[in-house]
Amino acid sequence: MSTTAVGGTIRCIGGHASIGLLLGGCAATDMASHHWSSMLLLAPLLAEADTAPKRVSSPAGSAGARSTAHLCPHFRWMADHVPVFRVPGTHVHILTSPDEFYQAMKARIRTARRRVVLASLYLGTGRLEQELVDCMQDALLRSQEEGASPNLKVSVLLDYTRGSRGAVNSRTMLLPLLQRFSSQTRVSLYHTPDLRGLLRLLVPQRFNETIGVQHIKVYLFDDSVIISGANLSDSYFTNRQDRYVLLENCREVADFFSSLVEAVGDASLQLQPDDSVSMVEGMVHPYKGRRQDFATAARKRIMEVVNSAHVRQQLVSLSEDSDDEGLSESDTWVFPLVQMKPLGIQVDEQVTKRLLTEAQPDSTVFLTSGYFNLTRAYMRLVLGAGANYRILTASPEVNGFYGAKGVAGAIPAAYIHIARQFYNQVCRLGQEKRVHLHEYHRPLWTFHAKGLWYYLGGQARPCLTLIGSPNFGYRSVHRDLEAQVAIVTENEELQSQLQEEQQMLYRRSSEVSSATFEQPDRYVKLWVKLVTPLIKNFF
């Protein structure tokens, strides 16, 4: 999650072996009184949210042997954690710019016949966002004109707190669709179970999303799906760099993510045509019901999606008639990784840890996050592993918080402090030749890309990428609902696309050195250094 300044206001623009493991502030002023009066607003946030339920769920069965028979041995273990979908590499396309992402969505909404499923943190309220809504309206109208029983269904999943902020918000943008196409449209607003009681009353609207949000970014049109870290907002369509992968005509992958969004939607508040909200019958209310009851019910519903995917793959692998017919061109494997620790689901965390743990000394990992705030576990693995790491993060001027008012305006300085601590630790351990830190620069742009590219030793192109919503930080692991995909491919053209994407981003970066932190714009005030350890888990 992140925010950016627009005039005098803050807008959020983003921004985290065995099957059993799966389930298993202040304004930048010189007056200390201003500092601490602002910090009082954050006081409720300094208490840890409820811990995740100890029990974690496990999917039944494992991935079909036929799906992983030709998979690179380095990554075959992932099929023991999550479902795996085998697809042709020619159906996977890396999009590289905000405009390409935006135009791809509009084009596919216009031609959708059965389903449009959009999951994001929020929907913006500007002209470009309205055009997106208009595309959905046109598609729904066309569907009604084609028959007495319209086939097209539109489902939108957003975060309740972020989508309800302000008089004009995501809800008001979508109400006309609900009012005109009530039988074809669903708008679900996920509310974290950790924002409840006195905390919910005390935390200002500007800060309430720091407790936890729906952060999944999935954009699905019939049997095609875009997995990204980008939100549905004008900056993400124009000058905010992110990552986007389009899986074209990959029905099993689309079915999985459609079902996942539907399951999270069932555990969410349902927007009504009169702008009220209600829960699906039989589901526990996220902040009025008992927290443990909500988490249990939501986890059960969401894990049904994972379980059923495993069962289907198991049945395919056991089928006596199974063969490789139709799979000869399927040289790419897609692993969906879900992280919802408030609900007791930590798939992505388990897979990411093992991926970093088993990275070999002759391999290279290019890892990027718009906000450099690695969890302690991830940081230990990077510093203790043998692989070579090149980590890309935002320079202060392309940070989404740059120029923000109030507490948020100090966050870029906090990231500078965190990066400097990490760099100093790399130097103390004598790891400068193995672990490199880079900063992204681009005038008038902001940086929000996240994920990694994995180069096996001796290979010129990456054969694996992680792409989606997680930032590798505390929020992504512990507070928010996240999803990404691990894509493993033997397709040389797709490997080249991934390499070009990685090089395009790093080409606009400079490598960090000790001299970087001596520059005047890297000065961090003492109060920011003191406060950062207290609030770093909230941004």
Side-chain angles (χ1 to χ4, degrees), residues 149-163:
S149 179
N151 292 323
L152 181 64
K153 305 293 183 184
V154 171
S155 177
V156 181
L157 171 65
L158 305 173
D159 181 68
Y160 178 91
T161 57
R162 186 61 186 90

Side-chain angles (χ1 to χ4, degrees), residues 51-331:
T51 56
K54 292 183 179 180
R55 184 178 67 85
V56 292
S57 311
S58 298
S62 59
R66 194 167 64 110
S67 296
T68 58
H70 303 286
L71 177 61
C72 174
H74 287 84
F75 310 115
R76 198 170 292 166
W77 57 266
M78 283 195 289
D80 294 328
H81 290 264
V82 293
V84 53
F85 303 101
R86 191 172 174 185
V87 303
T90 53
H91 288 202
V92 183
H93 310 285
I94 303 301
L95 311 182
T96 58
S97 72
D99 183 65
E100 188 179 10
F101 165 59
Y102 180 59
Q103 298 302 334
M105 284 195 296
K106 288 205 300 182
R108 282 159 181 79
I109 290 173
R110 291 192 184 104
T111 58
R113 297 291 172 180
R114 293 184 292 109
R115 60 187 175 188
V116 172
V117 179
L118 307 178
S120 186
L121 176 64
Y122 71 106
L123 171 69
T125 58
R127 177 182 62 84
L128 297 179
E129 297 92 323
Q130 186 59 56
E131 287 183 15
L132 210 60
V133 175
D134 291 344
C135 284
M136 288 187 277
Q137 175 177 282
D138 292 344
L140 288 165
L141 276 172
R142 184 203 66 229
S143 176
Q144 287 190 343
E145 293 168 356
E146 288 177 349
S149 179
N151 292 323
L152 181 64
K153 305 293 183 184
V154 171
S155 177
V156 181
L157 171 65
L158 305 173
D159 181 68
Y160 178 91
T161 57
R162 186 61 186 90
S164 303
R165 183 189 296 174
V168 179
N169 53 42
S170 304
R171 293 164 65 161
T172 60
M173 291 288 289
L174 293 167
L175 279 175
L177 293 184
L178 272 176
Q179 293 163 351
R180 188 170 182 180
F181 309 97
S182 58
S183 65
Q184 294 175 261
T185 306
R186 181 190 196 191
V187 178
S188 304
L189 302 169
Y190 176 83
H191 191 295
T192 177
D194 294 322
L195 183 63
R196 54 174 49 238
L198 191 60
L199 187 66
R200 191 172 190 272
L201 294 174
L202 291 178
V203 180
Q205 189 181 65
R206 181 176 166 185
F207 297 118
N208 58 13
E209 66 188 87
T210 60
I211 304 302
V213 295
Q214 192 303 112
H215 201 241
I216 296 168
K217 321 295 172 62
V218 170
Y219 309 112
L220 192 151
F221 323 94
D222 288 341
D223 294 333
S224 299
V225 57
I226 296 174
I227 306 295
S228 180
N231 288 302
L232 298 175
S233 179
D234 53 1
S235 62
Y236 290 93
F237 305 152
T238 53
N239 64 343
R240 186 155 172 78
Q241 184 64 58
D242 215 299
R243 298 182 66 209
Y244 338 81
V245 60
L246 168 62
L247 295 104
E248 194 90 71
N249 297 320
C250 297
R251 181 160 188 167
E252 285 188 328
V253 179
D255 285 348
F256 177 89
F257 279 103
S258 178
S259 298
L260 178 67
V261 172
E262 181 181 4
V264 177
D266 286 348
S268 303
L269 294 157
Q270 305 301 302
L271 184 64
Q272 303 301 318
D274 62 356
D275 199 26
S276 64
V277 293
S278 62
M279 288 300 294
V280 172
E281 186 176 354
M283 294 301 292
V284 181
H285 198 283
Y287 62 87
K288 293 180 179 179
R290 289 184 67 248
R291 189 204 182 283
Q292 184 62 43
D293 292 344
F294 172 82
T296 299
R299 179 176 62 247
K300 178 181 177 182
R301 176 67 185 91
I302 292 164
M303 289 313 302
E304 287 174 358
V305 176
V306 180
N307 288 339
S308 62
H310 274 261
V311 168
R312 283 194 300 271
Q313 292 177 346
Q314 193 175 45
L315 291 174
V316 169
S317 68
L318 294 175
S319 172
E320 294 181 357
D321 297 328
S322 294
D323 56 34
D324 283 339
E325 184 178 355
L327 293 178
S328 58
E329 296 181 0
S330 299
D331 49 13

Side-chain angles (χ1 to χ4, degrees), residues 25-31 34-35 38 405-407 409-410 525 527:
C26 307
T29 70
D30 295 327
M31 298 180 65
H34 287 184
H35 293 165
S38 296
K405 302 289 185 179
V407 177
K525 295 181 178 180
W527 74 266

